[in-house]
Amino acid sequence: MKRVTRQRTEILRVIDESERPLGPQEILQAGREAIPSLSIATIYRTLRDLLAEELIKTVALPGDSPRYESLHAHAHHHHHFQCTRCQKVFDIHGCPGSLQGMEVPPGFQVDHHEVTLYGLCADCVGVGS
Amino acid sequence: MKRVTRQRTEILRVIDESERPLGPQEILQAGREAIPSLSIATIYRTLRDLLAEELIKTVALPGDSPRYESLHAHAHHHHHFQCTRCQKVFDIHGCPGSLQGMEVPPGFQVDHHEVTLYGLCADCVGVGS
DNA sequence: ATGTCTGCAAATCATTTGCATCGTG
DNA sequence: CACGATGCAAATGATTTGCAGACAT
């Protein structure tokens, strides 16, 4: 039987209220504003549990450590855009669909896919270097 | 002044002759067939050098550690497939192209993209769990 | 009360680095 | 011969785990 503790509640709140995916350290920092004693071990353990309960999902970008976002608020199939200047990650709705044009070798079974777009976000377009 | 050592030559040969991107441990194992004393530290140091010289390129997949492939043999634009059973990564030629259907927010500038397919490779299709 | 959850510190695991020695140029 | 490269082992940095005490039910 899963217990409703202050730290679990706070961690879930931080993730739910964020408009962008957060990493463990970001969650720790935000959570410590309410619970100063909060430890990184609790963050990792709680993230594992929340993932298992499907209350949050992992956002994994190529070559970057994982971030987490509320599954309820992001349940639909979507992809991500990472700004190459500010590194922020944004949701992109829609999907190329069939991914026709990809030459999958014979005998391979495609189950799902991941698309990441890179470029400049609206805030960074037109900003110097 | 860069020296042509047995280990550097062997590491580059292993990567060049592989039909799929390899991780550091895979390169170590393959390289030890020719040089049993080969150490993992040398692998990492040599990979760093080869990347700087643009003889190889990094293949970064979401949520997984990096693989490396020959830049000369893989200079063209392509994507990757990762087997969800054996974790191996394979090149996929072709590209969905315009990525139409992706609803990029107004003001965003897309520069490049990354597509990863997941599923079972030919060897793992039909193999029990 | 009872068994889960937390914080701390120690343990992993992958990658990096210091250093004495090896070997290429 | 000189200096970059190698192998070993210790150092790092991120994540995981053991354990005794704290707390939800």
Side-chain angles (χ1 to χ4, degrees):
Chain A
M1 177 53 182
K2 200 150 292 294
R3 293 184 178 177
V4 178
T5 63
R6 280 201 324 140
Q7 8 303 75
R8 178 188 160 94
T9 302
E10 175 63 12
I11 291 169
L12 192 47
R13 189 189 65 71
V14 165
I15 296 172
D16 275 342
E17 294 184 0
S18 172
E19 73 299 333
R20 62 185 178 81
L22 300 177
Q25 290 297 338
E26 292 178 301
I27 297 168
L28 179 65
Q29 278 200 302
R32 279 190 167 163
E33 288 176 21
I35 309 174
S37 68
L38 188 58
S39 85
I40 190 65
T42 297
I43 301 290
Y44 282 109
R45 276 188 289 234
T46 305
L47 286 174
R48 184 198 342 98
D49 294 344
L50 293 176
L51 282 169
E53 297 166 57
E54 301 194 299
L55 290 176
I56 64 174
K57 72 186 284 272
T58 300
V59 176
L61 299 184
D64 213 335
S65 42
R67 296 128 195 248
Y68 303 88
E69 67 186 1
S70 163
L71 181 53
H72 183 259
H74 304 262
H76 59 291
H77 175 70
H78 67 283
H79 298 296
H80 295 93
F81 175 105
Q82 182 168 35
C83 178
T84 52
R85 183 173 170 279
C86 70
Q87 314 304 322
K88 281 183 189 160
V89 175
F90 303 82
D91 282 4
I92 297 292
H93 297 165
C95 174
S98 61
L99 291 173
Q100 55 189 251
M102 308 281 292
E103 297 165 21
V104 180
F108 280 51
Q109 258 176 28
V110 176
D111 177 56
H112 61 287
H113 64 272
E114 213 49 76
V115 178
T116 310
L117 303 182
Y118 295 92
L120 296 174
C121 71
D123 288 345
C124 291
V125 166
V127 176
S129 98
Chain B
M1 177 50 179
K2 199 153 293 296
R3 293 181 179 180
V4 178
T5 62
R6 283 206 317 145
Q7 10 300 76
R8 178 189 160 95
T9 303
E10 175 64 10
I11 291 169
L12 192 47
R13 189 189 64 70
V14 166
I15 296 173
D16 275 342
E17 294 184 0
S18 173
E19 72 300 333
R20 61 181 179 80
L22 300 177
Q25 290 297 337
E26 291 177 302
I27 297 168
L28 179 66
Q29 278 201 302
R32 278 191 167 163
E33 287 176 21
I35 309 175
S37 68
L38 189 58
S39 83
I40 189 65
T42 297
I43 300 290
Y44 281 109
R45 277 187 289 234
T46 304
L47 286 174
R48 183 196 345 98
D49 295 344
L50 294 175
L51 282 170
E53 298 166 56
E54 299 194 301
L55 291 176
I56 63 174
K57 71 188 283 272
T58 301
V59 175
L61 299 186
D64 210 334
S65 42
R67 301 331 198 266
Y68 303 87
E69 66 186 4
S70 163
L71 183 51
H72 182 260
H74 303 263
H76 60 292
H77 175 71
H78 67 282
H79 297 295
H80 296 93
F81 175 105
Q82 182 169 35
C83 178
T84 52
R85 183 173 169 278
C86 69
Q87 314 304 318
K88 282 180 185 161
V89 174
F90 303 83
D91 282 4
I92 297 292
H93 297 162
C95 174
S98 61
L99 291 174
Q100 57 188 242
M102 308 281 295
E103 298 166 20
V104 180
F108 280 50
Q109 255 176 29
V110 176
D111 176 57
H112 60 287
H113 63 272
E114 215 48 78
V115 177
T116 310
L117 302 183
Y118 295 93
L120 295 174
C121 72
D123 287 347
C124 291
V125 166
V127 175
S129 94

